[in-house]
Amino acid sequence: MSAEHGYLPDIQEGLKFFPEQASSYAGELDLFFIGLVVVCGFMTLLVFGLIVFFSYRYHADRQKPREKLPSAKSSHRIELSVLGAMFVIFMGIFAWSTHLYLDIYRGPEAAMTINVVGKQWMWKVQHPEGVREINTLHVPVGETVELRLTSEDVIHSFYVPDFRVKHDAVPGTYRKVWFEATKPGEYRLFCAEYCGSYHSRMRGKIVAMQPADYERWLGDQGEQVAPEVQGASLFRSYGCSGCHLGKSDVRAPSLAGVYGRPVPLASGGTVMADEAYLRDSILQPQKHVVAGFAPIMPSYSGQISEGEILQIIAYLKSLQPEDQALNPAAMTQGDAP
């Protein structure tokens, strides 16, 4: 096949032992993987080598004298020494992997959080400034980017081999994963979880750009409406403001400054008002009924998309405790998508 048809570069890329290291922790993960392969390979060769050696040396047909075999006491010392060495090696691997996992799981403070919604069979992206993309994600090099992952239908898996990023997007939950691109370029994005007939078509790309180029790209997208402004419009259009503004006969809890605070429940317990709680309150309002209020809120399940839920959550997160009136003027800015 000729290179002009695009087959030769794909073959050459497939011959690489490792994908390109294009994120801040890719090198550490590769080093850990190599360490695992070396240790496990050495142990495998050692065990099979001893099996072959003793099978040959003490085979019944060889009539090898056995008077000089180690005593029971010496055998116990050998066994304990081997077990001790293996314990130290594998506990060292455990400590190394735990340290690496916690560093990646916790991550540094993110410079931006981008919403990514998996859907058969595409990735829908929205930047903090409101810019939307499908199957493409532009990010700046050298900045920590946090992705808020979810799915509208089935389980998908956000997989970027060059970044060593692989994380599931699960319906009904928000999963967070971060990375820091270290090299400008385009990197392949896959769904690594079988999600239906056209799973193989659920591909995209990550475009890593220098910060100045990224800002220029954002500016080229034209004027955008931020997610929290879109969420304010949705909050009004879905009728949420009718009860939570306190201007109707229906009493509903104030949502001003609720995010990140414990909420007392009618059941007697409390729940932290995080993103999952806000989502459940929209789709499963009977799950966490606030103390002092009747369980009369209807469910919006099946009426509102995951992207819209994320926008409403962005709006609720932007509200401060002093915004007791949930300023109606703010909810008239922007249009619902």
Side-chain angles (χ1 to χ4, degrees), residues 225-296:
V225 181
E228 57 268 24
V229 177
Q230 294 175 320
S233 179
L234 289 168
F235 189 83
R236 174 176 52 84
S237 64
Y238 277 108
C240 308
S241 59
C243 298
H244 291 280
L245 276 175
K247 294 184 177 181
S248 70
D249 295 333
V250 179
R251 289 184 65 247
S254 170
L255 300 178
V258 69
Y259 179 76
R261 297 171 57 187
V263 176
L265 301 179
S267 61
T270 59
V271 62
M272 183 60 66
D274 55 10
E275 292 168 342
Y277 166 78
L278 296 178
R279 183 185 186 279
D280 287 343
S281 297
I282 297 171
L283 301 182
Q284 305 177 61
Q286 310 306 317
K287 182 177 181 179
H288 300 297
V289 179
V290 179
F293 294 90
I296 58 176

Side-chain angles (χ1 to χ4, degrees), residues 14-15 17 40 44 61 108 113 135-136 185 192 194 246 250-251 286 318:
L15 293 176
F17 188 69
C40 294
T44 301
D61 294 340
T113 298
N135 291 336
T136 303
Y194 181 74
V250 179
R251 289 184 65 247
Q286 310 306 317
S318 71

Side-chain angles (χ1 to χ4, degrees), residues 88-101:
V88 170
I89 292 172
F90 286 105
M91 286 304 295
I93 293 176
F94 174 76
W96 184 8
S97 64
T98 302
H99 175 74
L100 184 58
Y101 171 80

Side-chain angles (χ1 to χ4, degrees), residues 130-148:
V131 176
R132 297 172 184 247
E133 302 183 84
I134 293 180
N135 291 336
T136 303
L137 172 59
H138 288 75
V139 296
V141 169
E143 295 187 16
T144 303
V145 177
E146 181 182 78
L147 304 182
R148 186 187 292 115

Side-chain angles (χ1 to χ4, degrees), residues 47-59:
V47 171
F48 277 90
L50 290 173
I51 290 174
V52 172
F53 172 74
F54 288 120
S55 298
Y56 174 78
R57 181 176 178 83
Y58 296 108
H59 193 273

Side-chain angles (χ1 to χ4, degrees), residues 1 27 43 48 68 100 135 173 182 200 250 293 322 332:
M1 297 290 183
M43 297 301 298
F48 277 90
K68 296 183 179 180
L100 184 58
N135 291 336
T173 65
T182 56
S200 61
V250 179
F293 294 90
E322 59 270 18
T332 62

